[in-house]
Structures are given as structure tokens and as C-alpha cells.
Amino acid sequence: MWFGLDQLNSQNGLSVLYAGIFPSIIAPLVWMLAVQYLGPNRTSIFMNLMPVFTAIIAYFWLAELWGSYHSIGGLIILTGIVLAQMKVRVHIQAKS
């Protein structure tokens, strides 16, 4: 508030519109639908994909460099999600 606010104009209007519609309305709506459809236990693990998609968007949109740590971290995250989504079968042997 100290520095004031910029006026809404043709140069920043599309950015404000994008920030107001996609991350503020559509993303939470889609997330709530996923939680309703899949349940909170299965959808909460997918929050770990946020840094992966952030790195991908930054690579394409901001032309940031892609490092090996991005690939390694992404593989670790994807492996963790796959392992968390696997159903574990427990075999109980009856004692005789």
C-alpha cells in the first residue's frame, strides 16, 4: 500500500485477467472436483507435482535453463507418487 497500485491498462490487463481466472477460480475448482471424485487420501499425494509443473512452465514460458536436478527431482517425485498409489496386498498366513 505504501508504493500504491498500478493502474489497470492494456499492458497489464491480460495478466490480471489470467491471474484472476485460472489460478484463482479454475485451479481450485478442478482440485475440489478431484478431491470429491478420488478422495482426499489419493489426491493429496499429487500436491507434490507442483514443483515439477512449475519447473516445466518456467522452462517453456520463461526460457529458464533445465538442469539435471530438475530431471532427478521430477523422477523422484513421480516414483514416490507411483509407489503411494500402488495397492499393497497383505498375505496373512493362518497359524495351525
Side-chain angles (χ1 to χ4, degrees), residues 63-86:
E64 290 194 11
L65 296 177
W66 188 267
S68 60
Y69 51 88
H70 290 108
S71 300
I72 293 168
L75 287 173
I76 291 171
I77 290 171
L78 291 175
T79 302
I81 290 172
V82 168
L83 290 174
Q85 295 298 316
M86 291 176 61

Side-chain angles (χ1 to χ4, degrees), residues 13-70:
L14 289 177
S15 297
V16 171
L17 191 63
Y18 170 80
I21 293 176
F22 293 103
S24 300
I25 297 173
I26 294 177
L29 177 65
V30 171
W31 180 257
M32 287 184 278
L33 290 172
V35 170
Q36 184 179 14
Y37 181 74
L38 297 173
N41 291 338
R42 291 193 69 193
T43 52
S44 64
I45 193 72
F46 289 99
M47 288 293 285
N48 295 309
L49 284 173
M50 193 177 307
V52 174
F53 284 112
T54 301
I56 291 170
I57 290 169
Y59 175 75
F60 287 109
W61 195 351
L62 302 174
E64 290 194 11
L65 296 177
W66 188 267
S68 60
Y69 51 88
H70 290 108

